[in-house]
Amino acid sequence: MNINNFKEIYPYLMKANISPMLWGESGVGKTAIIKQLTRLIGYNFVYLTLAAVEDNSDLIGLLSPVKDELGNDLYVSHLRPDWFPTTPKNIIFIDEASRMPKSVIQSMLTFILDKKLHTHYLPEDSHIILAANPPTDDYITGDFTDKALVSRICHITLEPTKEEFLEYCAREGKSDDVISFLQENPEMTEISGTSSYLPDVKPNRRAWADFVSPFLQLNPPKELIFDVIRGLVGTPAAVRLQSHLKNTSFKIKGKEILNNYNTILSNKVKQNYNELDLLNIACEELTREIKINKGVNPDQASNVIQFLLDLPIELFYHVSRSILKLGLDSVNKTLGENKELLKRMKNKLEELK
């Protein structure tokens, strides 16, 4: 992902409470990019490097005794670290994250997910961004394979374009001679190039429910969705989700059927009459919605009846049985007593005999 793409997608990550981790070569501009982004959105920039942290006490602060009014010791508490912000609207930039000692990982778990460091909570509207070099022979890095830690982060390979770097140099007033030289010799921007790297990210329930779902509900730019999802659940899952999203031009959601099954939706079902897999997904969603709502009101029952009557007979029979098996009174008194549905159900039963 290049710089402009990251700037475009980051507000969506903030709203979905997703902490990104930028992987990239040293000197590629990770820190400068985050400083610039922080200024752009009007937040405070708080820098923390884990390369300088030797153990947990360096991160969470020293212990200090707490006394009562008479000076008697009550308990000990960790002092607030001097880097810890006290005002709202902060971007906490954790640099050299792949160099953290194993003793620090446990503190990082609660800090990243709950924005809490021991007894200290980050102020309102504070967000975390991490950065690291890839674990190649060019760098001394630690073990960044802890599954609980990896699954709390959206992993993004940052690959700035040559043009983005030249724009940065011009904007920051760098030497015109350097800019013109690199303009003529773009291959000299960096010799080694950028290492595309992502850790072993795998699907997990927390990522789907807490990160992917709220992210997609924000309707982010379609062309940037794949890179974010890949960083949350891994490449294979992201590829399959992307394929699924491409097929949703037909998709009818269970909530739509239940609350607003109109002529447009009915025509969609009829036009995709032979797409049993797609229709079955809609049926499963509908059944789940009815179960969650613990029944249907008269208008919803009318919508469900019309939807069922539009379905192919095999699917109609299957989903009708599934809905009636829920054993909900409002369902049994509407769907279960509807003459059209009962007639169609009877015909199917006779056919099975």
Side-chain angles (χ1 to χ4, degrees):
M1 182 179 291
N2 63 37
I3 295 172
N4 289 329
N5 286 343
F6 180 71
K7 287 179 180 178
E8 184 178 0
I9 203 64
Y10 184 64
Y12 295 92
L13 300 182
M14 290 178 73
K15 291 177 183 178
N17 199 28
I18 295 173
S19 297
M21 181 163 181
L22 304 180
W23 293 89
E25 299 283 354
S26 176
V28 80
K30 299 185 291 294
T31 304
I33 292 163
I34 302 308
K35 283 184 177 179
Q36 183 187 119
L37 175 63
T38 303
R39 289 197 303 268
L40 188 66
I41 61 178
Y43 277 61
N44 304 310
F45 178 79
V46 181
Y47 182 79
L48 174 65
T49 175
L50 294 184
V53 175
E54 295 184 1
D55 58 45
N56 219 28
S57 61
D58 292 338
L59 182 69
I60 64 176
L62 297 174
L63 287 170
S64 175
V66 178
K67 302 178 182 293
D68 63 16
E69 296 177 353
L70 299 177
N72 299 312
D73 291 334
L74 295 176
Y75 54 88
V76 293
S77 176
H78 284 279
L79 296 171
R80 180 176 58 81
D82 58 358
W83 59 266
F84 204 89
T86 57
T87 56
K89 299 187 70 174
N90 305 285
I91 297 295
I92 317 298
F93 181 58
I94 302 176
D95 202 4
E96 308 289 357
S98 60
R99 298 176 188 250
M100 78 174 79
K102 288 186 177 180
S103 59
V104 174
I105 289 179
Q106 188 60 43
S107 295
M108 279 291 100
L109 295 180
T110 54
F111 187 55
I112 293 170
L113 197 62
D114 302 327
K115 298 179 180 177
K116 172 187 177 185
L117 196 58
H118 196 57
T119 57
H120 305 292
Y121 285 88
L122 285 175
E124 183 182 358
D125 203 7
S126 293
H127 305 272
I128 297 169
I129 300 178
L130 302 93
N133 302 129
T136 65
D137 293 339
D138 294 331
Y139 306 100
I140 299 174
T141 59
D143 182 9
F144 202 86
T145 58
D146 185 272
K147 184 177 179 180
L149 180 59
V150 170
S151 67
R152 282 167 162 78
I153 301 166
C154 177
H155 302 269
I156 295 173
T157 299
L158 190 66
E159 299 176 300
T161 65
K162 302 290 196 299
E163 185 58 35
E164 285 176 329
F165 178 64
L166 292 176
E167 288 177 4
Y168 163 77
C169 289
R171 188 170 53 249
E172 296 296 321
K174 306 301 180 183
S175 167
D176 290 339
D177 292 332
V178 169
I179 295 173
S180 62
F181 172 77
L182 293 177
Q183 185 73 50
E184 295 174 9
N185 304 275
E187 73 280 1
M188 299 303 294
T189 305
E190 62 255 331
I191 297 299
S192 61
T194 302
S195 298
S196 293
Y197 170 77
L198 290 176
D200 187 20
V201 185
K202 295 180 179 178
N204 64 86
R205 297 185 182 189
R206 176 172 54 219
W208 289 118
D210 296 346
F211 302 143
V212 177
S213 179
F215 173 70
L216 291 179
Q217 287 174 332
L218 294 170
N219 295 316
K222 292 182 179 179
E223 66 276 11
L224 300 179
I225 288 177
F226 178 78
D227 282 341
V228 173
I229 303 301
R230 177 177 63 172
L232 291 168
V233 293
T235 301
V239 170
R240 292 178 64 176
L241 177 62
Q242 187 179 46
S243 176
H244 170 76
L245 294 175
K246 286 181 179 178
N247 292 329
T248 55
S249 57
F250 155 79
K251 187 169 177 58
I252 300 176
K253 297 183 179 296
K255 287 182 180 179
E256 293 177 336
I257 298 169
L258 193 60
N259 298 310
N260 187 33
Y261 191 71
N262 52 32
T263 302
I264 296 175
L265 295 180
S266 178
N267 288 337
K268 268 192 176 183
V269 172
K270 293 172 183 176
Q271 290 167 6
N272 292 272
Y273 195 78
N274 295 318
E275 300 292 338
L276 296 183
D277 289 343
L278 294 175
L279 290 173
N280 188 54
I281 292 173
C283 291
E284 290 177 353
E285 285 191 8
L286 172 63
T287 305
R288 185 162 55 248
E289 285 296 322
I290 294 174
K291 183 178 180 180
I292 292 172
N293 293 341
K294 298 181 180 180
V296 293
N297 60 41
D299 289 337
Q300 291 173 332
S302 178
N303 289 331
V304 174
I305 290 169
Q306 185 55 55
F307 171 70
L308 293 175
L309 292 174
D310 286 341
L311 291 174
I313 185 65
E314 293 81 4
L315 198 52
F316 157 82
Y317 178 72
H318 172 73
V319 70
S320 297
R321 283 170 54 87
S322 297
I323 293 174
L324 292 173
K325 277 185 177 180
L326 295 176
L328 300 169
D329 288 342
S330 60
V331 173
N332 295 335
K333 291 178 180 179
T334 52
L335 277 66
E337 296 178 3
N338 183 271
K339 293 182 179 180
E340 285 188 87
L341 295 183
L342 289 174
K343 180 179 179 181
R344 201 168 189 219
M345 182 76 75
K346 182 180 177 181
N347 291 339
K348 180 60 181 176
L349 286 171
E350 291 178 352
E351 180 184 320
L352 292 174
K353 292 178 182 179

